[in-house]
Amino acid sequence: MAMEGKPIRCRAAVAWKPGEALSVEEVMVAPPKAHEVRIKVMASGVCHTDWAYLHGAGKGMELRPFPLVLGHEGAGVVESVGAGVTRFSPGDKVIPLFLPQCGECDCCLSPKTNLCKANWAKTQQGVLADGTSRISCRGTQVFQFLGVSSFSEYTVTLETNLTKIHPDAELDRVCLLGCGVATGYGAAVNVAKVEEGSVCVVLGLGAVGLAAVMGCVSAGAARVIGVDVNPDKFDRAREFGVTDCVNPRDHKRPIQDVLVEMTSGGADYALECVGDVEVMRSALESCRSAWGVCVIVGWTELEEMKLLPFHLLMGRTLKGTYFGGWKSVTDIPQLVEQHLAGRLKLDEFVTHTLTLDEVNHAFQLLAGGQSIRSIIKM
Ligand code: NAD
Ligand code: ZN
Ligand code: ZN
């Protein structure tokens, strides 16, 4: 605890303006205040949502305060803790959580939801409970994306936005449980509640979609149809258990018509893992009437989705999910243990391992459809 109580000088990828490349530079990370924890980030996945808040700011996404340090799919080790923190000690392996679990709010007390409201408005605006961030660069406050900021060698989170994990966990793998893999997997098992023998459609075969496929397969789906406009995604999808691959660009008809025909009336479950309002509509319409369930996982905040109420009147259910329905603090360590027991894939999502200096390259790989997950190793 040599640096306990003192600011730490380290490196982070700073997003100075929307749409611009990240700039890796020296930052200061202040010590944790009461009920906060400072962590040494060891690894971070690069999620589509990081890219979207940089490049889609003001379009699909709300404009968040800049400058900011992105990254919300990290794993690390506790460096020091602020006053009043009892659940964490220096050296603990941890996963920072963009979705907290305070254990006290009405949502935490309900088994129906994972949407804890603790400090929600503040972390969405890039600050911690006291309205400030712990990261600064060249004397300017730098906002913390979703209260996390894992594209930094050190960061500070609220104790409610952190979970302790098994000491054997490989941090450059379990970081994926901080967002993408947990989200897609939970969308299938917790939100769609896929049943044995069912027919599933997963639209979008990036990390979130492949994790949804993994959830459908573990729930015993008889058939999992994978849909993507990038055919390079199909080989890996088959390895994850996709039984049929469909490229909408190979068809002149709307993709939902193709899917309804392939499934003799529609899928039992459809999961949208793209973040496109047209694909969301296709997902709903590719579900069968009477009991088909469509789950929206892909992210957009400002765009509107069109739908015909008739599709709902005919018994389809439309749902969405934030972080796959997991109660973050209590459930994520269990997913880590499932991975350690060999029951949950993580290695299979990793296509690239890069350094912090290569973070812009990671974004290019993601936007160009060449990666599933790049892991930034600090
Ligand atoms: P990704 O970019 O790796 O994958 C998206 C995939 O969709 C790509 O393979 C792409 O080729 C495919 N695609 C693009 N347009 C398509 C179309 N018209 N039809 C079919 N496929 C199409 O992204 P990801 O990291 O896997 O994230 C997927 C989505 O999930 C994003 O919108 C992300 O913001 C969102 N997300 C949501 C949550 C949540 O809590 N709900 C959490 C994490 C990510
Ligand atoms: Zn994410
Ligand atoms: Zn709560």
Side-chain angles (χ1 to χ4, degrees):
M1 296 242 276
M3 295 306 290
E4 190 186 345
K6 298 181 197 143
I8 290 181
R9 192 185 294 274
C10 64
R11 279 153 33 91
V14 181
W16 288 101
K17 284 193 185 136
E20 286 186 4
L22 305 184
S23 166
V24 178
E25 44 194 297
E26 201 174 88
V27 296
M28 295 298 281
V29 180
K33 294 190 180 177
H35 300 290
E36 297 175 359
V37 178
R38 186 161 62 184
I39 64 177
K40 181 171 177 25
V41 179
M42 303 304 291
S44 179
V46 179
C47 175
H48 188 105
T49 312
D50 294 308
W51 183 90
Y53 276 100
L54 186 64
H55 293 283
K59 294 173 221 152
M61 305 295 170
E62 298 272 4
L63 180 60
R64 302 292 166 117
F66 281 74
L68 89 164
V69 174
L70 289 163
H72 63 283
E73 198 178 75
V77 176
V78 173
E79 178 271 338
S80 61
V81 301
V85 174
T86 54
R87 285 192 299 120
F88 301 98
S89 312
D92 287 348
K93 285 189 179 175
V94 286
I95 293 183
L97 304 163
F98 60 86
L99 175 66
Q101 184 186 355
C102 72
E104 289 165 7
C105 70
D106 55 351
C107 290
C108 281
L109 294 175
S110 167
K112 294 181 181 174
T113 182
N114 63 338
L115 283 179
C116 171
K117 293 174 188 160
N119 296 297
W120 173 267
K122 287 180 179 154
T123 54
Q124 291 290 312
Q125 287 304 308
V127 291
L128 304 186
D130 73 342
T132 63
S133 109
R134 298 292 157 267
I135 306 180
S136 59
C137 182
R138 300 189 229 153
T140 301
Q141 168 168 265
V142 180
F143 294 96
Q144 292 184 234
F145 185 49
L146 306 177
V148 176
S149 287
S150 56
F151 295 166
S152 178
E153 291 171 335
Y154 284 85
T155 191
V156 175
T157 69
L158 292 163
E159 64 176 332
T160 47
N161 291 62
L162 195 67
T163 194
K164 186 171 158 176
I165 58 169
H166 197 286
D168 292 345
E170 326 102 292
L171 297 174
D172 58 349
R173 292 294 178 266
V174 298
C175 58
L176 298 178
L177 293 170
C179 184
V181 174
T183 297
Y185 187 68
V189 300
N190 297 330
V191 186
K193 300 189 197 296
V194 170
E195 289 178 332
E196 206 174 335
S198 54
V199 174
C200 303
V201 171
V202 176
L203 300 103
L205 299 172
V208 174
L210 291 179
V213 169
M214 182 165 76
C216 295
V217 169
S218 81
R223 199 170 167 202
V224 185
I225 303 174
V227 180
D228 204 296
V229 291
N230 179 353
D232 294 345
K233 303 281 169 127
F234 292 156
D235 283 346
R236 192 176 296 260
R238 286 193 191 91
E239 285 164 21
F240 271 81
V242 161
T243 50
D244 314 62
C245 293
V246 181
N247 184 346
R249 293 185 179 153
D250 291 342
H251 299 273
K252 291 209 174 68
R253 293 182 290 161
I255 193 62
Q256 52 269 46
D257 294 357
V258 175
L259 293 166
V260 166
E261 191 177 287
M262 280 175 78
T263 53
S264 309
D268 299 308
Y269 304 95
L271 295 112
E272 198 276 359
C273 302
V274 178
D276 179 295
V277 290
E278 289 295 325
V279 182
M280 292 175 187
R281 182 176 184 165
S282 302
L284 176 67
E285 294 183 11
S286 65
C287 289
R288 57 171 301 140
S289 64
W291 64 69
V293 175
C294 173
V295 180
I296 307 297
V297 193
W299 202 257
T300 180
E301 288 171 344
L302 301 175
E303 291 161 303
E304 290 184 9
M305 173 191 172
K306 277 194 190 155
L307 64 84
L308 291 174
F310 178 74
H311 291 296
L312 303 179
L313 292 165
M314 288 297 108
R316 296 175 186 84
T317 301
L318 180 60
K319 299 169 122 183
T321 181
Y322 195 62
F323 200 39
W326 302 108
K327 296 252 190 200
S328 59
V329 171
T330 46
D331 289 343
I332 297 310
Q334 294 179 26
L335 293 179
V336 169
E337 291 185 23
Q338 286 183 30
H339 169 66
L340 288 172
R343 286 186 276 119
L344 192 84
K345 291 183 168 76
L346 290 177
D347 301 37
E348 293 78 356
F349 291 88
V350 180
T351 52
H352 300 78
T353 301
L354 303 171
T355 64
L356 185 59
D357 287 302
E358 295 171 309
V359 64
N360 290 305
H361 182 52
F363 273 161
Q364 284 163 5
L365 291 167
L366 182 72
Q370 292 147 276
S371 61
I372 296 295
R373 273 296 189 263
S374 295
I375 304 288
I376 305 292
K377 264 181 122 166
M378 300 296 166

